[in-house]
Amino acid sequence: MIQAPRGTYDVLPEDADRRELLETHVRRILGAAGFRRVETPTFESTELFARGVGEATDIVQKEMYSFDDGGGRSLTLRPEGTAPVCRAYIEHGMHKLPQPVKLWYLSSFFRSEAPQRGRYRQFWQVGAEVIGASGPDADAELIVVLSELLGALGVKDVRLRLASLGSPETRNEYRGELTTYLREHEDGLSSEVRARIELNPMRAFDASDPRTQETMRGAPKLMDRLAADDAEHFAQVRVLLEDAGIPYELDTTLVRGLDYYTRTLFEFTSEALGAQSGVAGGGRYDRLIEQLGGPATPASGWAAGVERMLLAAGGLPTAPELVDLFVARAAHSDDVDRTAFELAREARRAGMAAQLELTGRSLKGQLKQAHRLGARYVAIVADRTHASLKNMESGEQHELQPQDVIPTILRGSRL
Ligand code: ATP
Ligand code: MG
């Protein structure tokens, strides 16, 4: 038996309903804040992610699905959305548009990781990017709309952790200081962290090993080393969030998997999720567009995991599709079939949700099916000129011509 590949899943109709509802909230909340939708290709040049996400990141080191396009070029199934959106911004000269350009996406992404609850190899993210604005208000606004979205979806027990990474220069200097600290405390580090001191010392804060965590408590913190303008920017983000009534915790050890962040960095987690607690994350990435070959352009954004939002939201209520008319057949003949088919088609043209009996059920079975679907009316076609219309709520039924079925329903007349 052939099954879906490990780490993937099928979106069945009930799941699709919840996703549609999620999308409705996304459209409403981001649309009202001036964001417009963008979609980029499912795969890109591998180079885009190597440069845009960072060679030292987990994503680039071990999570990408890369393949040869047959002509010797390496392509990669997109593992994240920010680098592709920036690539599109540059490619389409969006810096010539009035700034900032505010974009959102809802797409699937691919990472080769060990599958578990809330962690898949193909998953979906909603993302939002504000490109061409450098101020703290852009960051705060992004966090506010994200918080609103999580609230609208009913994502439970959320926590917001907030940090600032400062500039790459500050980070470089700090990196040296941290590396020295790690070297001096190698005995207190796990072998995995020790092996990565040079490659990515910041990740030591992320380690799950308790001894390493203990050692990192005494490590110098980047947020204590911020340059004056970065510190001022961050202070303003905090003021705006406090004004907006959004609670957050400062996290001096917040590290995220991507290399391109500058200044503001944040993550929403939900206690409702257990181990894979990250619901959404984002931050400012002022150097990315330049790094990808575009003009120096400040930008900020976030991405939220669709599966995790749905998991943490518990049961998002979905309304079952309404059926106005179910078209049943009293008998089977060419005439009946064609009349019934035409009736269902016309009902839809008149704006109704109409379903036609498509299996060979008995009349009793057809009425049962109409009841299961919650149909308001059932039309039973007897032949080309005879039908009866049953109001499923009142149980009333009367005879009429097939062509009078729709006008009768539209008039809402009591049968
Ligand atoms: P994690 O620490 O859980 O691996 P991450 O830092 O890799 O998360 P990001 O790259 O910031 O995640 O992606 C943003 C969001 O996308 C996450 O907060 C999470 O909700 C979701 N996400 C990331 N990876 C996966 C995955 N493999 N399956 C499902 N959702 C994911
Ligand atoms: Mg990850």
Side-chain angles (χ1 to χ4, degrees):
M1 198 178 75
I2 299 173
Q3 295 187 320
R6 223 166 101 72
T8 68
Y9 57 85
D10 299 305
V11 177
L12 300 177
E14 311 85 77
D15 310 321
D17 285 348
R18 301 178 70 211
R19 283 167 179 256
E20 238 164 70
L21 189 61
L22 179 143
E23 184 169 337
T24 306
H25 286 297
V26 169
R27 276 176 197 287
R28 178 174 57 79
I29 292 168
L30 291 176
F35 289 80
R36 300 186 66 202
R37 189 170 191 164
V38 64
E39 288 298 333
T40 59
T42 304
F43 52 84
E44 298 266 1
S45 301
T46 300
E47 164 96 24
L48 173 65
F49 302 112
R51 259 161 66 187
V53 179
E55 290 283 4
T57 60
D58 276 356
I59 291 181
V60 173
Q61 293 246 312
K62 48 188 187 200
E63 295 176 0
M64 297 205 301
Y65 286 104
S66 299
F67 55 97
D68 190 290
D69 73 347
R73 275 173 303 266
S74 179
L75 298 175
T76 293
L77 296 182
R78 57 184 172 197
E80 61 95 52
T82 301
V85 168
C86 290
R87 196 259 317 127
Y89 176 91
I90 299 166
E91 190 170 326
H92 301 284
M94 289 190 230
H95 62 278
K96 293 188 211 111
L97 299 174
Q99 304 292 299
V101 174
K102 295 169 119 180
L103 302 169
W104 69 271
Y105 57 80
L106 172 56
S107 337
S108 59
F109 296 91
F110 306 84
R111 294 185 195 176
S112 166
E113 349 190 31
Q116 44 199 297
R117 183 171 181 262
R119 188 177 295 286
Y120 307 96
R121 291 181 172 174
Q122 177 178 2
F123 58 99
W124 290 70
Q125 287 183 341
V126 179
E129 319 283 357
V130 176
I131 306 180
S134 61
D137 37 11
D139 299 3
E141 187 176 74
L142 277 160
I143 295 173
V144 166
V145 292
L146 176 53
S147 163
E148 207 179 310
L149 176 65
L150 298 177
L153 295 173
V155 174
K156 296 188 190 76
D157 308 323
V158 285
R159 278 173 62 195
L160 168 60
R161 291 183 302 144
L162 188 66
S164 176
L165 290 180
S167 67
E169 292 73 26
T170 308
R171 223 150 116 199
N172 256 338
E173 239 169 76
Y174 166 76
R175 207 182 141 106
E177 188 186 350
L178 179 62
T179 306
T180 307
Y181 177 88
L182 294 175
R183 287 260 168 269
E184 282 167 359
H185 295 80
E186 275 195 22
D187 292 347
L189 301 174
S190 71
S191 54
E192 201 196 336
V193 169
R194 228 178 299 149
R196 291 166 62 95
I197 292 181
E198 297 301 333
L199 191 62
N200 198 349
M202 295 280 279
R203 287 312 292 268
F205 287 113
D206 231 6
S208 50
D209 164 54
R211 206 160 46 99
T212 306
Q213 287 178 351
E214 180 55 39
T215 306
M216 295 317 288
R217 266 190 268 284
K221 306 293 185 313
L222 176 56
M223 265 201 280
D224 300 328
R225 301 288 186 272
L226 297 184
D229 55 340
D230 293 336
E232 172 58 29
H233 191 277
F234 189 48
Q236 192 58 25
V237 172
R238 294 178 55 184
V239 165
L240 293 171
L241 290 180
E242 280 153 27
D243 286 352
I246 294 181
Y248 63 85
E249 297 152 44
L250 279 188
D251 187 341
T252 51
T253 65
L254 187 59
V255 193
R256 299 192 18 81
L258 314 175
D259 264 2
Y260 49 57
Y261 289 112
T262 50
R263 294 187 159 175
T264 316
L265 189 71
F266 58 90
E267 184 163 63
F268 278 91
T269 54
S270 167
E271 308 292 325
L273 286 175
Q276 320 306 323
S277 65
V279 174
R284 178 161 283 286
Y285 50 93
D286 288 342
R287 308 289 176 99
L288 178 59
I289 291 178
E290 199 173 7
Q291 198 172 312
L292 293 176
T297 310
S300 193
W302 50 254
V306 167
E307 296 77 13
R308 292 194 200 170
M309 285 192 288
L310 291 174
L311 275 171
L316 251 193
T318 60
E321 201 66 44
L322 291 174
V323 176
D324 300 308
L325 176 66
F326 186 83
V327 181
R329 285 172 285 197
H332 281 285
S333 74
D334 229 30
D335 266 2
V336 173
D337 292 353
R338 289 172 63 185
T339 306
F341 192 88
E342 182 55 23
L343 184 53
R345 210 166 67 89
E346 269 195 24
R348 288 182 209 119
R349 267 208 303 262
M352 294 177 206
Q355 287 199 34
L356 175 67
E357 166 63 23
L358 292 173
T359 68
R361 287 189 181 90
S362 67
L363 186 56
K364 197 172 150 212
Q366 295 181 65
L367 288 168
K368 217 162 136 190
Q369 172 67 359
H371 181 73
R372 268 197 296 265
L373 292 171
R376 289 168 52 224
Y377 291 93
V378 180
I380 303 159
V381 177
D383 59 38
R384 221 192 304 205
T385 50
H386 292 88
S388 58
L389 184 61
K390 179 170 177 164
N391 180 328
M392 295 292 276
E393 249 163 55
S394 64
E396 286 169 276
Q397 182 165 342
H398 82 166
E399 311 299 313
L400 72 188
Q401 295 220 5
Q403 76 230 33
D404 292 332
V405 166
I406 292 163
T408 306
I409 295 175
L410 288 180
R411 273 201 310 275
S413 61
R414 301 176 39 79
L415 296 174

Coordinates of all heavy atoms in Angstrom, one line a residue, residues 191-245:
S191 N 29.3 18.3 24.0 CA 30.2 18.1 22.9 C 29.7 18.8 21.6 O 30.4 19.3 20.8 CB 30.6 16.6 22.7 OG 29.4 15.9 22.5
E192 N 28.4 18.7 21.4 CA 27.8 19.3 20.2 C 28.0 20.8 20.2 O 28.3 21.3 19.2 CB 26.3 19.0 20.2 CG 25.6 19.0 18.9 CD 24.1 19.1 18.9 OE1 23.5 18.7 19.9 OE2 23.5 19.6 17.9
V193 N 27.8 21.4 21.3 CA 28.0 22.9 21.4 C 29.5 23.2 21.2 O 29.8 24.1 20.5 CB 27.4 23.4 22.7 CG1 27.9 24.9 22.9 CG2 25.9 23.3 22.8
R194 N 30.3 22.4 21.8 CA 31.8 22.6 21.8 C 32.2 22.6 20.3 O 33.0 23.4 19.9 CB 32.5 21.6 22.6 CG 33.5 22.2 23.5 CD 34.2 21.1 24.3 NE 33.3 20.4 25.2 CZ 33.5 19.1 25.5 NH1 34.5 18.4 25.1 NH2 32.6 18.5 26.3
A195 N 31.6 21.6 19.6 CA 32.0 21.5 18.2 C 31.6 22.6 17.3 O 32.1 22.9 16.2 CB 31.5 20.2 17.6
R196 N 30.6 23.4 17.8 CA 30.1 24.5 17.0 C 30.5 25.9 17.5 O 29.9 26.9 17.0 CB 28.6 24.4 16.9 CG 28.2 23.2 16.0 CD 26.7 22.9 16.2 NE 25.8 24.0 15.8 CZ 25.3 24.0 14.6 NH1 25.5 23.1 13.7 NH2 24.5 25.1 14.3
I197 N 31.4 25.9 18.4 CA 31.8 27.2 19.0 C 32.2 28.3 17.9 O 31.7 29.4 17.9 CB 32.9 27.1 20.0 CG1 32.4 26.3 21.2 CG2 33.5 28.5 20.4 CD1 33.5 26.2 22.3
E198 N 33.0 27.8 17.0 CA 33.5 28.8 16.0 C 32.4 29.1 14.9 O 32.2 30.2 14.5 CB 34.7 28.2 15.2 CG 35.9 28.0 16.1 CD 36.4 29.3 16.8 OE1 36.2 30.4 16.3 OE2 37.0 29.1 17.9
L199 N 31.7 28.0 14.6 CA 30.7 28.1 13.5 C 29.5 29.0 13.9 O 29.1 29.9 13.2 CB 30.2 26.7 13.1 CG 29.3 26.7 11.9 CD1 30.1 27.1 10.6 CD2 28.8 25.3 11.7
N200 N 29.0 28.8 15.1 CA 27.8 29.5 15.6 C 27.7 29.6 17.1 O 26.9 28.8 17.7 CB 26.6 28.9 14.9 CG 25.3 29.8 15.0 OD1 25.4 30.8 15.6 ND2 24.3 29.4 14.2
P201 N 28.5 30.4 17.7 CA 28.5 30.4 19.2 C 27.2 30.8 19.8 O 26.8 30.3 20.9 CB 29.6 31.5 19.5 CG 29.7 32.3 18.3 CD 29.4 31.4 17.2
M202 N 26.4 31.6 19.1 CA 25.1 32.0 19.7 C 24.2 30.8 20.0 O 23.3 30.9 20.8 CB 24.4 32.9 18.7 CG 25.1 34.3 18.5 SD 24.7 35.4 19.8 CE 23.1 36.0 19.3
R203 N 24.3 29.8 19.2 CA 23.5 28.6 19.3 C 23.6 27.9 20.7 O 22.8 27.2 21.1 CB 23.7 27.6 18.2 CG 23.1 28.0 16.9 CD 21.7 28.6 16.9 NE 20.7 27.5 17.3 CZ 20.1 26.8 16.4 NH1 20.2 27.0 15.1 NH2 19.2 25.9 16.8
A204 N 24.7 28.2 21.4 CA 25.0 27.6 22.7 C 23.8 28.0 23.6 O 23.5 27.2 24.5 CB 26.3 28.1 23.2
F205 N 23.2 29.2 23.4 CA 22.1 29.6 24.3 C 20.9 28.7 24.1 O 20.0 28.6 24.9 CB 21.7 31.0 24.0 CG 22.7 32.0 24.5 CD1 23.5 32.8 23.7 CD2 22.9 32.2 25.9 CE1 24.4 33.7 24.2 CE2 23.8 33.1 26.4 CZ 24.5 33.9 25.5
D206 N 20.8 28.1 22.9 CA 19.7 27.3 22.5 C 19.8 25.8 22.9 O 18.8 25.1 22.8 CB 19.7 27.3 20.9 CG 18.3 27.7 20.4 OD1 17.5 28.1 21.2 OD2 18.1 27.6 19.2
A207 N 20.9 25.4 23.5 CA 21.2 24.0 23.8 C 20.2 23.5 24.8 O 19.8 24.2 25.7 CB 22.6 23.8 24.3
S208 N 19.8 22.2 24.7 CA 18.9 21.6 25.6 C 19.6 21.0 26.8 O 19.0 20.7 27.8 CB 18.0 20.7 24.9 OG 18.7 19.8 24.1
D209 N 20.9 20.7 26.6 CA 21.7 20.1 27.6 C 21.7 20.9 28.9 O 22.2 22.1 28.9 CB 23.1 19.8 27.1 CG 24.1 19.5 28.2 OD1 23.8 18.5 28.9 OD2 25.1 20.2 28.2
P210 N 21.3 20.4 30.1 CA 21.2 21.2 31.3 C 22.6 21.8 31.8 O 22.6 22.9 32.2 CB 20.7 20.2 32.4 CG 20.3 19.0 31.7 CD 20.9 19.0 30.3
R211 N 23.7 21.0 31.6 CA 25.0 21.6 32.0 C 25.4 22.8 31.2 O 25.8 23.8 31.7 CB 26.0 20.5 31.9 CG 27.2 20.6 32.8 CD 27.9 19.3 33.0 NE 28.1 18.7 31.7 CZ 29.3 18.7 31.0 NH1 30.3 19.3 31.5 NH2 29.4 18.1 29.8
T212 N 25.1 22.7 29.9 CA 25.4 23.8 29.0 C 24.5 25.0 29.4 O 25.0 26.1 29.4 CB 25.1 23.4 27.5 OG1 25.8 22.2 27.2 CG2 25.5 24.5 26.6
Q213 N 23.2 24.7 29.7 CA 22.4 25.8 30.0 C 22.9 26.5 31.3 O 22.8 27.8 31.4 CB 20.9 25.3 30.3 CG 20.2 24.9 29.0 CD 18.8 24.3 29.3 OE1 18.4 24.0 30.4 NE2 18.1 24.1 28.2
E214 N 23.4 25.7 32.2 CA 23.9 26.3 33.5 C 25.1 27.2 33.1 O 25.2 28.3 33.6 CB 24.3 25.1 34.4 CG 24.9 25.6 35.7 CD 24.0 26.5 36.5 OE1 22.8 26.3 36.5 OE2 24.6 27.5 37.1
T215 N 26.0 26.7 32.3 CA 27.2 27.4 31.9 C 26.8 28.8 31.2 O 27.4 29.8 31.4 CB 28.1 26.6 30.9 OG1 28.3 25.4 31.5 CG2 29.3 27.3 30.6
M216 N 25.7 28.7 30.4 CA 25.3 29.9 29.6 C 24.7 31.0 30.5 O 24.6 32.1 30.1 CB 24.4 29.5 28.5 CG 25.0 28.6 27.4 SD 26.7 29.1 26.9 CE 26.3 30.5 26.0
R217 N 24.3 30.6 31.7 CA 23.7 31.6 32.6 C 24.7 32.7 32.9 O 24.4 33.8 33.1 CB 23.1 31.0 33.8 CG 21.6 30.7 33.7 CD 21.0 30.3 35.0 NE 21.1 28.8 35.3 CZ 20.3 28.0 34.7 NH1 19.3 28.4 33.9 NH2 20.4 26.7 34.9
G218 N 26.0 32.3 32.9 CA 27.0 33.3 33.3 C 27.6 34.0 32.1 O 28.5 34.8 32.2
A219 N 27.2 33.6 30.9 CA 27.8 34.2 29.6 C 27.4 35.6 29.4 O 26.3 36.1 29.9 CB 27.3 33.3 28.4
P220 N 28.2 36.4 28.7 CA 27.9 37.8 28.4 C 26.7 37.8 27.5 O 26.5 36.9 26.7 CB 29.1 38.3 27.7 CG 29.9 37.1 27.2 CD 29.6 36.0 28.2
K221 N 25.8 38.8 27.7 CA 24.6 38.9 26.9 C 24.6 40.0 25.9 O 25.0 41.1 26.2 CB 23.4 39.1 27.8 CG 23.2 38.1 29.0 CD 22.9 36.8 28.4 CE 22.6 35.7 29.5 NZ 23.5 35.7 30.6
L222 N 24.2 39.7 24.7 CA 24.2 40.7 23.6 C 23.4 41.9 23.9 O 23.8 43.1 23.6 CB 23.7 40.0 22.3 CG 23.6 40.9 21.0 CD1 24.9 41.6 20.7 CD2 23.1 40.1 19.9
M223 N 22.3 41.8 24.6 CA 21.4 42.9 24.8 C 22.1 44.0 25.7 O 21.7 45.1 25.8 CB 20.1 42.5 25.4 CG 19.1 42.4 24.2 SD 17.4 42.5 24.8 CE 17.1 40.8 25.4
D224 N 23.1 43.5 26.5 CA 23.9 44.5 27.3 C 25.0 45.2 26.5 O 25.7 46.0 27.0 CB 24.5 43.7 28.5 CG 23.5 43.0 29.4 OD1 22.4 43.6 29.5 OD2 23.8 42.0 29.9
R225 N 25.1 44.8 25.3 CA 26.2 45.4 24.5 C 25.7 46.3 23.3 O 26.5 46.7 22.5 CB 27.1 44.2 23.9 CG 27.7 43.3 24.9 CD 28.8 44.0 25.6 NE 29.5 43.0 26.5 CZ 29.1 42.8 27.8 NH1 28.1 43.4 28.3 NH2 29.8 41.9 28.5
L226 N 24.4 46.5 23.2 CA 23.9 47.2 22.1 C 24.4 48.6 22.0 O 24.6 49.3 23.0 CB 22.3 47.4 22.2 CG 21.5 46.1 22.2 CD1 20.0 46.4 22.2 CD2 21.9 45.2 21.0
A227 N 24.6 49.1 20.7 CA 25.0 50.5 20.4 C 23.9 51.4 20.8 O 22.7 51.0 20.8 CB 25.4 50.6 19.0
A228 N 24.2 52.7 21.0 CA 23.2 53.6 21.5 C 21.9 53.7 20.6 O 20.8 53.6 21.1 CB 23.8 55.0 21.7
D229 N 22.1 53.8 19.3 CA 20.9 53.9 18.4 C 20.1 52.6 18.3 O 18.9 52.7 18.2 CB 21.3 54.3 17.0 CG 22.4 53.4 16.3 OD1 23.1 52.7 17.1 OD2 22.5 53.4 15.1
D230 N 20.8 51.5 18.4 CA 20.0 50.2 18.5 C 19.3 50.1 19.8 O 18.1 49.6 19.8 CB 21.0 49.0 18.4 CG 21.7 49.0 17.0 OD1 21.1 49.5 16.0 OD2 22.8 48.4 16.9
A231 N 19.9 50.5 20.9 CA 19.2 50.4 22.2 C 18.0 51.4 22.2 O 16.9 51.0 22.7 CB 20.2 50.8 23.3
E232 N 18.1 52.5 21.5 CA 17.0 53.5 21.4 C 15.9 52.9 20.6 O 14.7 53.0 21.0 CB 17.6 54.8 20.8 CG 16.6 55.8 20.5 CD 15.8 56.3 21.7 OE1 16.3 56.2 22.8 OE2 14.6 56.6 21.5
H233 N 16.2 52.3 19.5 CA 15.2 51.7 18.6 C 14.4 50.6 19.4 O 13.2 50.6 19.4 CB 16.0 51.0 17.4 CG 15.1 50.5 16.3 ND1 14.4 49.3 16.4 CD2 14.8 51.1 15.1 CE1 13.7 49.2 15.2 NE2 13.9 50.2 14.5
F234 N 15.2 49.8 20.1 CA 14.6 48.7 20.9 C 13.7 49.3 22.0 O 12.5 48.8 22.2 CB 15.6 47.8 21.5 CG 15.1 46.6 22.1 CD1 14.2 45.8 21.4 CD2 15.5 46.1 23.3 CE1 13.7 44.6 22.0 CE2 15.0 45.0 23.9 CZ 14.1 44.2 23.2
A235 N 14.1 50.3 22.7 CA 13.3 50.9 23.7 C 12.0 51.4 23.2 O 10.9 51.2 23.8 CB 14.1 52.1 24.4
Q236 N 12.0 52.0 22.0 CA 10.8 52.5 21.3 C 9.8 51.3 21.0 O 8.6 51.5 21.1 CB 11.2 53.3 20.1 CG 10.1 54.2 19.6 CD 9.5 55.1 20.6 OE1 10.1 55.5 21.6 NE2 8.2 55.5 20.4
V237 N 10.4 50.2 20.5 CA 9.5 49.1 20.2 C 8.8 48.7 21.5 O 7.6 48.4 21.5 CB 10.4 47.9 19.7 CG1 9.5 46.6 19.5 CG2 11.0 48.2 18.3
R238 N 9.5 48.7 22.5 CA 8.9 48.2 23.8 C 7.9 49.2 24.3 O 6.8 48.7 24.7 CB 10.0 48.1 24.9 CG 11.0 47.0 24.5 CD 12.2 46.9 25.5 NE 11.6 46.7 26.9 CZ 12.4 46.7 28.0 NH1 13.7 46.8 27.9 NH2 11.8 46.5 29.2
V239 N 8.1 50.5 24.1 CA 7.1 51.5 24.5 C 5.8 51.2 23.7 O 4.7 51.2 24.3 CB 7.6 52.9 24.3 CG1 6.5 53.9 24.3 CG2 8.7 53.2 25.3
L240 N 6.0 51.0 22.4 CA 4.8 50.9 21.6 C 4.0 49.6 21.9 O 2.8 49.6 21.9 CB 5.2 50.9 20.1 CG 5.7 52.2 19.6 CD1 6.3 52.0 18.2 CD2 4.6 53.3 19.6
L241 N 4.7 48.5 22.2 CA 4.0 47.3 22.6 C 3.3 47.5 24.0 O 2.2 47.0 24.2 CB 5.0 46.1 22.7 CG 5.6 45.6 21.4 CD1 6.6 44.5 21.6 CD2 4.5 45.2 20.5
E242 N 4.0 48.2 24.9 CA 3.3 48.4 26.2 C 2.1 49.3 26.0 O 1.0 49.0 26.6 CB 4.3 49.1 27.1 CG 5.3 48.0 27.7 CD 6.6 48.5 28.2 OE1 6.7 49.7 28.5 OE2 7.6 47.7 28.1
D243 N 2.2 50.3 25.1 CA 1.0 51.1 24.8 C -0.1 50.3 24.3 O -1.3 50.5 24.5 CB 1.3 52.2 23.8 CG 2.1 53.3 24.5 OD1 2.3 53.3 25.7 OD2 2.6 54.2 23.7
A244 N 0.2 49.3 23.4 CA -0.8 48.4 22.8 C -1.3 47.4 23.7 O -2.1 46.6 23.3 CB -0.2 47.8 21.5
G245 N -0.7 47.3 24.9 CA -1.2 46.3 25.9 C -0.8 44.9 25.5 O -1.5 43.9 25.9

